[in-house]
Amino acid sequence: MEQVITRENVQEAVEAVQGFAPGFEPQVAVILGSGMGQMAAGIQDAVVIPYGQVPHMVPSTVQGHAGRFILGTLSGRSVICMQGRLHAYEGNSAQQIAFPVYVMNQLGAKTLVVTNAAGGIDPAYQVGDVMLISDHINFQMMNPIIGPENGFGPRFFDMTHAYSPVLRDLAKQVARSQGLGVHEGVYVGDLGPSFETPAEIRAFRAWGAHAVGMSTVQEVIAANQLGMEVLGASLISNPAAGVCDEPLSIDDVVAAANVAAGRIWELISGVVARL
């Protein structure tokens, strides 16, 4: 396996980003999920950097993922935003998926906010609902830490609070102040790109999962090695397979995310303002 996450590779990427925005030091890193890319328009004084301009980064090839960093200001805080993430089903390794998290951290970000579009496993979840992620199940069977020690943190590290309870409580406070009802639950990361079968969804539900998607877990593992505080939010874009009788479509997922993305963005903006 190619060792992408090395001190040298990350430093080269950091220096490239700094070349576009000298002196910029983000406080918060944000990763936007499927159909949520338009939310980056809310970042002020934006500097746009395509992934192709950053050494060792790979392009995003997925509908709804522009594949670029947005640097700027959100709610009075300096942020670096991934407008489009990387997925395993694109052929990327776990290290390629996690690489930008190391870059954003080394630029200065100590907090990571991850968002995604997810299928609702819990029958009570409706399209457009927001679920704060309390934990995850890595059904992708991939881990960016596998391989030689990368020098960014311990090889063996605790994942008990992979998603910060403090940030989750803050998000719930912000949601209440905005009149937004939110769920709280477990996200299961599947490999994709095919949607899950009804049998798999029944198994995930038995494991205690509430929503399912094809991303996020590699980024969160990396953030925990780096000691970052993580807030995760899933936008329920569709019922999972077998929860309803309708066939699943990526077009429907992106369309639902486009319609409801403002709810997560308002929540994120409110949380960032209180950090």
Side-chain angles (χ1 to χ4, degrees):
M1 179 187 68
E2 181 185 1
Q3 187 74 4
V4 178
I5 300 169
T6 67
R7 283 283 179 186
E8 293 77 12
N9 287 357
V10 171
Q11 184 59 33
E12 287 180 17
V14 165
E15 290 174 359
V17 172
Q18 290 172 332
F20 285 90
F24 181 79
E25 186 173 331
Q27 298 166 273
V28 182
V30 180
I31 301 177
L32 298 178
S34 297
M36 302 181 197
Q38 77 276 14
M39 297 192 300
I43 296 176
Q44 299 175 331
D45 304 318
V47 175
V48 178
I49 308 173
Y51 294 162
Q53 299 296 310
V54 181
H56 312 293
M57 284 284 294
V58 295
S60 177
T61 64
V62 184
Q63 176 184 353
H65 293 262
R68 55 190 190 174
F69 287 117
I70 311 291
L71 287 63
T73 303
L74 176 66
S75 299
R77 304 287 186 268
S78 58
V79 300
I80 180 168
C81 176
M82 288 183 69
Q83 192 182 32
R85 58 155 48 90
L86 307 170
H87 303 81
Y89 62 72
E90 298 174 77
N92 298 317
S93 70
Q95 290 204 1
Q96 288 171 318
I97 295 166
F99 182 77
V101 176
Y102 290 87
V103 175
M104 294 188 291
N105 173 259
Q106 293 301 295
L107 283 164
K110 300 296 186 271
T111 300
L112 175 66
V113 178
V114 291
T115 67
N116 57 57
I121 294 175
D122 189 322
Y125 289 8
Q126 301 295 315
V127 172
D129 284 356
V130 175
M131 184 191 83
L132 299 176
I133 305 175
S134 59
D135 205 348
H136 74 229
I137 298 170
N138 183 2
F139 196 64
Q140 295 177 351
M141 305 302 180
M142 301 167 63
N143 192 312
I145 315 303
I146 292 175
E149 293 194 57
N150 60 32
F152 286 99
R155 173 175 280 179
F156 305 99
F157 49 93
D158 182 47
M159 291 284 288
T160 302
H161 298 298
Y163 299 83
S164 168
V166 173
L167 291 183
R168 204 159 59 249
D169 285 344
L170 176 59
K172 287 186 282 189
Q173 293 172 20
V174 171
R176 284 194 295 270
S177 71
Q178 296 173 346
L180 174 65
V182 294
H183 303 287
E184 187 172 355
V186 175
Y187 173 87
V188 56
D190 197 6
L191 191 59
S194 55
F195 288 104
E196 303 75 26
T197 67
E200 288 170 336
I201 294 301
R202 290 194 298 271
F204 296 159
R205 184 181 296 122
W207 292 353
H210 301 84
V212 61
M214 303 173 189
S215 66
T216 303
V217 295
Q218 308 304 324
E219 300 150 351
V220 173
I221 291 170
N224 275 260
Q225 188 197 31
L226 291 162
M228 300 177 76
E229 293 290 300
V230 178
L231 174 66
S234 294
L235 177 63
I236 304 304
S237 57
N238 59 279
V243 176
C244 72
D245 294 330
E246 296 297 321
L248 300 178
S249 161
I250 187 61
D251 292 333
D252 292 341
V253 168
V254 173
N258 282 330
V259 169
R263 298 176 189 175
I264 279 189
W265 190 246
E266 184 178 0
L267 179 61
I268 290 171
S269 299
V271 170
V272 169
R274 300 193 189 189
L275 293 176

